[in-house]
Amino acid sequence: MDYAVSIKLTEKQYHLIKEMAKDQYRTIGNTLAMFVVEGFKWYVQDHEVYIKRMECDRISTGGDYQFYTDEESIETLDQMPLTQ
């Protein structure tokens, strides 16, 4: 039997997960399931993660390719409401 679980995400949280899923050739659901099992902080420590910045987070003096730091990604996803 399958059960559906839904969580509320901010636009930035969704963007981070969507881009990670795309980079890893995964679905968004598969990526979230991986986080539940492995944990995002552990995943970042064990893997190289490059997530492009959203337009609203880009630094005007930065180059064309700007990425979130691991700390910024962890901080954003730490705010994800896993309990409703």
Side-chain angles (χ1 to χ4, degrees):
M1 183 175 284
D2 293 329
Y3 297 95
V5 176
S6 65
I7 57 174
K8 294 179 183 177
L9 302 172
T10 65
E11 184 177 353
K12 187 173 182 179
Q13 291 167 339
Y14 178 78
H15 172 77
L16 291 170
I17 293 169
K18 181 183 76 170
E19 290 299 314
M20 286 188 68
K22 180 180 172 184
D23 183 62
Q24 298 290 319
Y25 302 101
R26 297 175 180 268
T27 64
I28 292 173
N30 181 264
T31 302
L32 285 171
M34 176 191 62
F35 289 155
V36 169
V37 173
E38 195 171 330
F40 184 74
K41 290 179 186 177
W42 293 108
Y43 185 83
V44 170
Q45 290 178 4
D46 291 340
H47 300 82
E48 294 182 15
V49 177
Y50 300 100
I51 302 170
K52 289 184 182 177
R53 287 184 177 272
M54 296 174 63
E55 284 298 322
C56 62
D57 290 336
R58 290 178 60 86
I59 301 167
S60 60
T61 58
D64 291 338
Y65 298 100
Q66 296 183 26
F67 300 92
Y68 291 108
T69 64
D70 290 347
E71 291 79 20
E72 289 172 316
S73 299
I74 289 170
E75 181 182 326
T76 298
L77 293 176
D78 271 350
Q79 298 169 15
M80 191 180 327
L82 293 177
T83 56
Q84 297 288 323

XYZ file of all heavy atoms in Angstrom:
702
model
N 0.842 -1.163 0.000
C 0.000 0.000 0.000
C 0.893 1.234 0.000
O 1.892 1.293 0.702
C -0.906 -0.025 1.233
C -1.865 1.113 1.290
S -3.028 0.997 2.658
C -4.122 -0.244 2.016
N 0.548 2.232 -0.786
C 1.298 3.478 -0.867
C 0.568 4.582 -0.128
O -0.657 4.636 -0.127
C 1.479 3.903 -2.327
C 2.366 2.955 -3.103
O 3.276 2.365 -2.492
O 2.150 2.812 -4.316
N 1.339 5.451 0.476
C 0.791 6.613 1.165
C 1.435 7.865 0.601
O 2.617 7.874 0.282
C 1.069 6.541 2.674
C 0.403 5.372 3.336
C 1.081 4.179 3.526
C -0.913 5.465 3.760
C 0.463 3.099 4.124
C -1.531 4.387 4.367
C -0.837 3.208 4.551
O -1.451 2.152 5.151
N 0.680 8.913 0.509
C 1.201 10.197 0.036
C 1.486 11.091 1.233
O 0.725 11.126 2.197
C 0.192 10.871 -0.879
N 2.594 11.803 1.159
C 2.974 12.755 2.193
C 3.201 14.094 1.510
O 3.854 14.162 0.475
C 4.274 12.309 2.902
C 4.714 13.334 3.911
C 4.089 10.948 3.542
N 2.663 15.135 2.081
C 2.900 16.455 1.499
C 3.538 17.356 2.545
O 3.269 17.233 3.743
C 1.597 17.071 0.987
O 0.726 17.323 2.056
N 4.396 18.235 2.077
C 5.030 19.211 2.955
C 4.969 20.561 2.254
O 4.939 20.644 1.037
C 6.489 18.848 3.303
C 7.323 18.678 2.035
C 6.556 17.607 4.155
C 8.785 18.476 2.305
N 4.949 21.598 3.048
C 4.926 22.953 2.504
C 6.360 23.450 2.405
O 7.120 23.358 3.367
C 4.104 23.872 3.392
C 2.640 23.504 3.426
C 1.869 24.419 4.343
C 0.420 23.979 4.404
N -0.366 24.776 5.334
N 6.708 23.972 1.242
C 8.051 24.478 1.013
C 7.975 25.924 0.559
O 7.017 26.322 -0.092
C 8.762 23.665 -0.078
C 8.900 22.170 0.140
C 9.452 21.518 -1.120
C 9.798 21.893 1.318
N 9.018 26.671 0.884
C 9.131 28.005 0.310
C 9.607 27.851 -1.130
O 10.062 26.771 -1.535
C 10.146 28.864 1.089
O 11.442 28.287 0.940
C 9.777 28.980 2.557
N 9.520 28.916 -1.884
C 9.982 28.874 -3.271
C 11.465 28.518 -3.336
O 11.903 27.733 -4.170
C 9.738 30.227 -3.943
C 10.109 30.238 -5.415
C 9.796 31.564 -6.087
O 9.185 32.435 -5.460
O 10.186 31.704 -7.256
N 12.254 29.064 -2.412
C 13.696 28.806 -2.395
C 13.985 27.345 -2.046
O 14.843 26.709 -2.658
C 14.382 29.744 -1.399
C 15.890 29.681 -1.427
C 16.461 30.765 -0.518
C 17.960 30.782 -0.533
N 18.485 31.863 0.328
N 13.280 26.788 -1.058
C 13.464 25.385 -0.692
C 13.125 24.477 -1.862
O 13.859 23.539 -2.170
C 12.601 25.035 0.520
C 13.051 25.683 1.795
C 12.011 25.581 2.894
O 10.832 25.371 2.649
N 12.464 25.755 4.127
N 12.006 24.767 -2.539
C 11.606 23.966 -3.693
C 12.657 24.060 -4.801
O 13.014 23.060 -5.416
C 10.240 24.423 -4.216
C 9.796 23.656 -5.431
C 9.267 22.376 -5.297
C 9.924 24.186 -6.705
C 8.872 21.648 -6.408
C 9.535 23.469 -7.821
C 9.008 22.199 -7.663
O 8.637 21.480 -8.761
N 13.166 25.256 -5.044
C 14.188 25.454 -6.068
C 15.429 24.617 -5.769
O 15.972 23.954 -6.654
C 14.554 26.941 -6.168
C 15.720 27.218 -7.057
N 15.612 27.214 -8.427
C 17.018 27.489 -6.774
C 16.801 27.480 -8.948
N 17.667 27.650 -7.968
N 15.889 24.642 -4.517
C 17.080 23.878 -4.136
C 16.873 22.381 -4.373
O 17.725 21.706 -4.950
C 17.445 24.126 -2.665
C 17.966 25.522 -2.326
C 18.039 25.694 -0.818
C 19.326 25.740 -2.948
N 15.739 21.873 -3.942
C 15.460 20.438 -4.106
C 15.301 20.084 -5.573
O 15.832 19.074 -6.046
C 14.214 20.040 -3.290
C 14.537 20.164 -1.804
C 13.779 18.615 -3.625
C 13.345 20.068 -0.909
N 14.600 20.927 -6.317
C 14.393 20.673 -7.750
C 15.716 20.644 -8.498
O 15.967 19.756 -9.313
C 13.484 21.746 -8.344
C 13.199 21.558 -9.824
C 12.348 22.682 -10.371
C 13.241 23.886 -10.527
N 12.687 25.002 -11.250
N 16.609 21.584 -8.207
C 17.902 21.643 -8.887
C 18.806 20.471 -8.495
O 19.531 19.941 -9.323
C 18.595 22.981 -8.611
C 17.918 24.156 -9.282
C 17.901 24.039 -10.799
O 18.935 23.717 -11.400
O 16.828 24.268 -11.393
N 18.765 20.080 -7.225
C 19.544 18.908 -6.807
C 19.030 17.664 -7.505
O 19.805 16.826 -7.957
C 19.484 18.731 -5.291
C 20.317 19.727 -4.555
S 20.407 19.326 -2.814
C 21.376 17.837 -2.880
N 17.703 17.521 -7.588
C 17.118 16.360 -8.258
C 17.541 16.331 -9.720
O 17.946 15.281 -10.238
C 15.592 16.404 -8.143
N 17.489 17.470 -10.358
C 17.877 17.564 -11.765
C 19.336 17.186 -11.950
O 19.686 16.433 -12.858
C 17.619 18.993 -12.252
C 17.962 19.248 -13.692
C 17.643 20.702 -14.027
C 18.143 21.095 -15.393
N 17.910 22.521 -15.659
N 20.203 17.683 -11.077
C 21.632 17.404 -11.169
C 21.942 15.926 -10.957
O 22.870 15.385 -11.547
C 22.393 18.249 -10.138
C 23.894 18.056 -10.229
O 24.444 18.376 -11.306
O 24.490 17.594 -9.249
N 21.167 15.258 -10.119
C 21.387 13.855 -9.793
C 20.548 12.904 -10.653
O 20.540 11.703 -10.415
C 21.062 13.606 -8.312
C 21.928 14.384 -7.353
C 23.349 13.869 -7.335
O 23.576 12.676 -7.371
N 24.303 14.777 -7.297
N 19.824 13.457 -11.642
C 18.932 12.671 -12.504
C 17.907 11.901 -11.668
O 17.666 10.722 -11.873
C 19.724 11.712 -13.406
C 20.708 12.414 -14.285
C 22.059 12.444 -13.965
C 20.286 13.078 -15.430
C 22.973 13.106 -14.776
C 21.189 13.745 -16.243
C 22.525 13.754 -15.912
O 23.421 14.420 -16.717
N 17.312 12.600 -10.712
C 16.301 12.015 -9.839
C 14.993 12.787 -9.989
O 14.975 13.904 -10.485
C 16.728 12.106 -8.362
C 17.970 11.357 -7.989
C 18.320 11.642 -6.527
N 19.504 10.967 -6.090
C 19.503 9.770 -5.522
N 18.368 9.122 -5.324
N 20.628 9.212 -5.132
N 13.931 12.194 -9.493
C 12.684 12.933 -9.379
C 12.738 13.729 -8.077
O 13.549 13.431 -7.189
C 11.457 11.997 -9.353
O 11.544 11.189 -8.167
C 11.400 11.118 -10.594
N 11.850 14.701 -7.944
C 11.811 15.482 -6.707
C 11.421 14.578 -5.541
O 12.004 14.650 -4.464
C 10.851 16.672 -6.856
C 11.432 17.668 -7.862
C 10.593 17.342 -5.514
C 10.511 18.798 -8.230
N 10.449 13.690 -5.753
C 10.034 12.759 -4.704
C 11.153 11.830 -4.284
O 11.346 11.566 -3.091
N 11.918 11.342 -5.251
C 13.038 10.452 -4.938
C 14.114 11.200 -4.162
O 14.714 10.659 -3.234
C 13.602 9.870 -6.238
C 14.750 8.930 -5.993
O 15.897 9.352 -6.067
N 14.425 7.678 -5.711
N 14.346 12.458 -4.513
C 15.340 13.265 -3.807
C 14.911 13.503 -2.366
O 15.716 13.379 -1.439
C 15.548 14.610 -4.531
O 15.956 14.341 -5.879
C 16.601 15.456 -3.848
N 13.630 13.822 -2.146
C 13.138 14.015 -0.780
C 13.233 12.728 0.029
O 13.603 12.750 1.205
C 11.704 14.538 -0.799
C 11.556 16.002 -1.173
C 10.088 16.354 -1.365
C 12.171 16.892 -0.124
N 12.910 11.603 -0.587
C 13.014 10.317 0.109
C 14.460 10.052 0.516
O 14.735 9.549 1.610
C 12.484 9.198 -0.776
N 15.399 10.399 -0.359
C 16.812 10.219 -0.046
C 17.199 11.068 1.159
O 17.927 10.614 2.049
C 17.670 10.604 -1.250
C 19.158 10.534 -0.990
S 20.130 11.279 -2.301
C 19.580 12.976 -2.271
N 16.681 12.316 1.227
C 16.983 13.175 2.363
C 16.441 12.605 3.658
O 17.065 12.729 4.710
C 16.418 14.580 2.162
C 17.123 15.391 1.110
C 16.468 16.401 0.468
C 18.439 15.127 0.769
C 17.107 17.158 -0.503
C 19.088 15.868 -0.193
C 18.418 16.891 -0.831
N 15.276 12.008 3.601
C 14.689 11.419 4.801
C 15.591 10.305 5.320
O 15.829 10.180 6.517
C 13.264 10.899 4.510
C 12.749 10.061 5.654
C 12.328 12.060 4.234
N 16.105 9.510 4.417
C 16.952 8.384 4.812
C 18.351 8.841 5.181
O 18.905 8.451 6.193
C 17.014 7.339 3.668
C 18.008 6.251 3.990
C 15.639 6.756 3.420
N 18.944 9.677 4.351
C 20.357 10.026 4.511
C 20.583 11.321 5.273
O 21.613 11.499 5.915
C 21.001 10.125 3.124
C 22.496 10.114 3.149
C 23.097 9.986 1.770
O 22.487 9.368 0.889
O 24.189 10.511 1.579
N 19.664 12.227 5.183
C 19.816 13.523 5.832
C 20.598 14.474 4.951
O 21.624 14.120 4.389
N 20.107 15.695 4.820
C 20.734 16.653 3.915
C 22.139 17.023 4.363
O 23.054 17.109 3.550
C 19.866 17.903 3.773
C 20.411 18.878 2.783
C 20.315 18.610 1.431
C 21.033 20.038 3.187
C 20.825 19.492 0.499
C 21.545 20.933 2.260
C 21.441 20.655 0.918
N 22.346 17.245 5.641
C 23.669 17.646 6.117
C 24.716 16.578 5.810
O 25.821 16.885 5.381
C 23.637 17.934 7.612
C 22.871 19.179 7.965
C 22.859 19.406 9.456
C 21.972 20.576 9.799
N 21.875 20.801 11.231
N 24.363 15.319 6.033
C 25.296 14.229 5.729
C 25.529 14.122 4.234
O 26.631 13.864 3.777
C 24.775 12.904 6.273
C 24.757 12.863 7.764
C 23.665 12.909 8.574
C 25.884 12.809 8.637
N 24.033 12.886 9.880
C 25.395 12.823 9.959
C 27.254 12.758 8.433
C 26.239 12.784 11.051
C 28.092 12.714 9.526
C 27.582 12.731 10.822
N 24.482 14.344 3.453
C 24.598 14.265 1.998
C 25.590 15.313 1.490
O 26.458 15.022 0.667
C 23.233 14.457 1.337
C 23.286 14.266 -0.156
C 23.220 12.995 -0.707
C 23.420 15.349 -1.008
C 23.291 12.813 -2.071
C 23.490 15.176 -2.370
C 23.426 13.900 -2.893
O 23.508 13.726 -4.249
N 25.482 16.539 1.996
C 26.368 17.622 1.560
C 27.812 17.317 1.954
O 28.738 17.632 1.212
C 25.896 18.970 2.140
C 26.919 20.064 1.924
C 24.571 19.369 1.508
N 28.032 16.696 3.096
C 29.383 16.358 3.520
C 29.994 15.265 2.657
O 31.205 15.240 2.445
C 29.388 15.918 4.983
C 29.125 17.046 5.938
C 29.091 16.588 7.382
O 29.337 15.426 7.683
N 28.782 17.489 8.288
N 29.175 14.367 2.141
C 29.665 13.235 1.365
C 29.672 13.452 -0.138
O 30.271 12.681 -0.872
C 28.826 11.982 1.664
C 29.043 11.470 3.072
O 30.071 11.809 3.682
O 28.177 10.716 3.559
N 28.982 14.472 -0.628
C 28.848 14.697 -2.061
C 29.118 16.156 -2.398
O 28.913 17.035 -1.576
C 27.426 14.353 -2.539
C 27.031 12.945 -2.290
N 26.561 12.510 -1.070
C 27.039 11.866 -3.099
C 26.288 11.225 -1.144
N 26.565 10.813 -2.363
N 29.561 16.392 -3.603
C 29.709 17.765 -4.081
C 28.345 18.242 -4.571
O 27.727 17.604 -5.410
C 30.725 17.834 -5.212
C 32.132 17.500 -4.765
C 33.131 17.627 -5.906
O 32.797 18.230 -6.939
O 34.239 17.104 -5.759
N 27.890 19.350 -4.024
C 26.574 19.878 -4.367
C 26.750 21.285 -4.928
O 27.310 22.151 -4.264
C 25.651 19.919 -3.129
C 24.319 20.527 -3.464
C 25.482 18.527 -2.550
N 26.296 21.475 -6.155
C 26.354 22.790 -6.791
C 24.947 23.175 -7.210
O 24.368 22.562 -8.097
C 27.271 22.773 -8.020
C 28.696 22.396 -7.676
C 29.156 21.104 -7.901
C 29.552 23.329 -7.116
C 30.453 20.755 -7.574
C 30.853 22.986 -6.785
C 31.295 21.691 -7.021
O 32.583 21.357 -6.692
N 24.393 24.208 -6.560
C 23.038 24.660 -6.855
C 23.116 26.124 -7.266
O 23.588 26.973 -6.503
C 22.119 24.498 -5.632
C 22.100 23.037 -5.202
C 20.726 25.004 -5.942
C 21.427 22.803 -3.880
N 22.649 26.403 -8.489
C 22.683 27.777 -8.982
C 21.779 28.668 -8.133
O 20.715 28.259 -7.695
C 22.209 27.835 -10.434
C 23.186 27.246 -11.406
C 22.689 27.423 -12.823
C 23.649 26.800 -13.802
N 23.151 26.897 -15.184
N 22.235 29.879 -7.923
C 21.454 30.852 -7.165
C 20.229 31.287 -7.966
O 20.277 31.397 -9.182
C 22.283 32.089 -6.858
C 23.339 31.872 -5.815
C 24.035 33.197 -5.517
N 25.017 33.016 -4.467
C 24.748 33.123 -3.172
N 23.544 33.446 -2.783
N 25.681 32.921 -2.273
N 19.139 31.551 -7.236
C 17.959 32.138 -7.851
C 18.297 33.580 -8.220
O 19.200 34.185 -7.622
C 16.783 32.107 -6.873
C 16.331 30.713 -6.509
S 15.057 30.706 -5.226
C 13.722 31.556 -6.049
N 17.582 34.139 -9.186
C 17.846 35.510 -9.626
C 17.804 36.493 -8.463
O 18.626 37.394 -8.379
C 16.845 35.930 -10.704
C 17.130 35.343 -12.064
C 18.469 35.774 -12.647
O 18.863 36.944 -12.481
O 19.134 34.912 -13.251
N 16.861 36.306 -7.544
C 16.728 37.245 -6.423
C 17.882 37.142 -5.425
O 18.091 38.049 -4.621
C 15.389 37.038 -5.714
S 15.188 35.404 -4.996
N 18.649 36.064 -5.464
C 19.768 35.868 -4.545
C 21.132 36.117 -5.183
O 22.160 35.972 -4.532
C 19.752 34.446 -3.984
C 18.612 34.212 -3.021
O 18.122 35.190 -2.435
O 18.213 33.044 -2.858
N 21.134 36.473 -6.469
C 22.403 36.687 -7.154
C 23.088 37.943 -6.634
O 22.447 38.923 -6.268
C 22.195 36.791 -8.656
C 21.802 35.453 -9.263
C 21.554 35.543 -10.749
N 22.699 36.000 -11.496
C 23.681 35.216 -11.941
N 23.645 33.932 -11.708
N 24.692 35.711 -12.628
N 24.408 37.935 -6.606
C 25.220 39.066 -6.178
C 25.577 39.866 -7.419
O 26.093 39.316 -8.398
C 26.493 38.572 -5.455
C 26.105 37.720 -4.244
C 27.377 39.738 -5.059
C 27.243 36.928 -3.655
N 25.288 41.155 -7.387
C 25.461 41.983 -8.586
C 26.913 42.025 -9.068
O 27.165 42.162 -10.253
C 24.947 43.402 -8.339
O 25.651 43.996 -7.277
N 27.859 41.911 -8.156
C 29.269 41.956 -8.547
C 29.819 40.570 -8.891
O 30.972 40.450 -9.258
C 30.125 42.562 -7.419
O 29.948 41.769 -6.234
C 29.740 43.999 -7.148
N 28.987 39.538 -8.763
C 29.428 38.177 -9.051
C 29.428 37.895 -10.537
O 28.954 38.678 -11.357
N 29.962 36.756 -10.900
C 30.025 36.359 -12.297
C 28.721 35.755 -12.783
O 27.684 35.829 -12.124
N 28.794 35.158 -13.967
C 27.614 34.535 -14.565
C 27.182 33.281 -13.815
O 26.010 32.962 -13.752
C 27.882 34.175 -16.026
C 28.007 35.403 -16.904
O 27.495 36.471 -16.504
O 28.611 35.299 -17.981
N 28.134 32.547 -13.269
C 27.833 31.296 -12.579
C 27.987 31.496 -11.081
O 29.091 31.561 -10.560
C 28.757 30.175 -13.064
C 28.579 29.896 -14.531
C 29.472 30.399 -15.463
C 27.507 29.152 -14.985
C 29.300 30.158 -16.817
C 27.325 28.901 -16.334
C 28.226 29.404 -17.243
O 28.044 29.167 -18.574
N 26.847 31.633 -10.415
C 26.845 31.826 -8.968
C 26.090 30.674 -8.328
O 25.013 30.306 -8.777
C 26.182 33.153 -8.604
C 26.922 34.358 -9.125
C 26.272 35.645 -8.684
O 25.589 35.712 -7.662
N 26.481 36.694 -9.451
N 26.656 30.119 -7.267
C 26.071 28.962 -6.598
C 25.912 29.251 -5.114
O 26.646 30.043 -4.532
C 26.963 27.728 -6.786
C 27.158 27.347 -8.223
C 28.227 27.825 -8.961
C 26.242 26.508 -8.837
C 28.391 27.478 -10.288
C 26.401 26.151 -10.172
C 27.478 26.642 -10.894
N 24.924 28.586 -4.494
C 24.760 28.670 -3.046
C 25.905 27.906 -2.384
O 26.355 26.881 -2.881
C 23.437 28.038 -2.604
C 22.214 28.804 -3.033
C 21.380 28.319 -4.028
C 21.877 30.014 -2.429
C 20.248 29.016 -4.425
C 20.748 30.719 -2.823
C 19.946 30.212 -3.822
O 18.827 30.905 -4.210
N 26.362 28.419 -1.240
C 27.354 27.675 -0.462
C 26.642 26.525 0.243
O 25.407 26.524 0.369
C 28.029 28.570 0.598
O 27.029 28.989 1.537
C 28.698 29.778 -0.036
N 27.394 25.541 0.702
C 26.801 24.430 1.448
C 26.059 24.948 2.674
O 24.970 24.478 3.003
C 27.872 23.430 1.881
C 28.458 22.657 0.713
O 27.877 22.707 -0.404
O 29.494 21.996 0.912
N 26.644 25.938 3.348
C 26.032 26.475 4.559
C 24.691 27.149 4.249
O 23.727 26.992 4.997
C 26.976 27.478 5.247
C 28.208 26.852 5.851
C 29.300 26.530 4.818
O 29.285 27.119 3.693
O 30.135 25.684 5.104
N 24.630 27.887 3.136
C 23.374 28.535 2.752
C 22.302 27.494 2.425
O 21.142 27.649 2.809
C 23.587 29.438 1.528
C 24.385 30.684 1.812
C 24.728 31.451 0.554
O 25.132 30.831 -0.460
O 24.589 32.683 0.578
N 22.680 26.444 1.729
C 21.730 25.391 1.381
C 21.216 24.685 2.625
O 20.017 24.449 2.767
C 22.379 24.374 0.438
O 22.780 24.992 -0.757
N 22.120 24.344 3.530
C 21.732 23.654 4.768
C 20.808 24.546 5.593
O 19.785 24.094 6.106
C 22.973 23.235 5.581
C 23.696 22.089 4.865
C 22.597 22.835 7.002
C 25.050 21.757 5.450
N 21.152 25.823 5.713
C 20.325 26.753 6.494
C 18.917 26.851 5.916
O 17.928 26.839 6.646
C 20.978 28.134 6.513
C 20.215 29.166 7.306
C 20.874 30.535 7.261
O 22.112 30.591 7.217
O 20.137 31.536 7.267
N 18.802 26.925 4.603
C 17.491 27.028 3.958
C 16.676 25.762 4.180
O 15.496 25.819 4.533
C 17.653 27.280 2.448
O 18.329 28.524 2.272
C 16.300 27.345 1.759
N 17.289 24.608 3.976
C 16.549 23.355 4.101
C 16.291 22.957 5.550
O 15.385 22.207 5.834
C 17.265 22.246 3.341
C 17.267 22.451 1.824
C 18.073 21.356 1.136
C 15.870 22.504 1.258
N 17.090 23.488 6.478
C 16.834 23.240 7.908
C 15.498 23.841 8.338
O 14.904 23.412 9.315
C 17.929 23.839 8.781
C 19.072 22.872 9.024
O 18.927 21.673 8.671
O 20.109 23.310 9.544
N 15.024 24.832 7.606
C 13.763 25.497 7.944
C 12.563 24.766 7.356
O 11.428 25.195 7.542
C 13.802 26.928 7.440
C 14.890 27.752 8.069
C 15.083 29.088 7.378
O 14.254 29.518 6.608
N 16.197 29.748 7.658
N 12.787 23.654 6.664
C 11.693 22.921 6.033
C 10.801 22.287 7.107
O 11.301 21.601 7.991
C 12.268 21.815 5.127
C 11.245 21.185 4.234
S 11.924 19.892 3.165
C 13.554 20.408 2.813
N 9.512 22.539 7.045
C 8.615 21.991 8.069
C 8.284 20.526 7.807
O 7.378 20.211 7.058
C 7.374 22.870 7.923
C 7.379 23.247 6.480
C 8.822 23.358 6.080
N 9.047 19.620 8.410
C 8.786 18.194 8.211
C 7.673 17.684 9.116
O 7.181 16.596 8.933
C 10.065 17.383 8.398
C 11.126 17.622 7.330
C 12.385 16.826 7.652
C 10.620 17.255 5.939
N 7.309 18.469 10.121
C 6.169 18.093 10.951
C 5.074 19.115 10.723
O 5.318 20.308 10.719
C 6.545 18.071 12.450
O 7.078 19.341 12.805
C 7.560 16.985 12.726
N 3.882 18.629 10.520
C 2.760 19.517 10.215
C 1.781 19.547 11.378
O 1.558 18.608 12.041
C 2.027 19.044 8.959
C 2.896 19.090 7.726
C 3.168 20.515 7.238
O 2.310 21.366 7.310
N 4.368 20.764 6.787
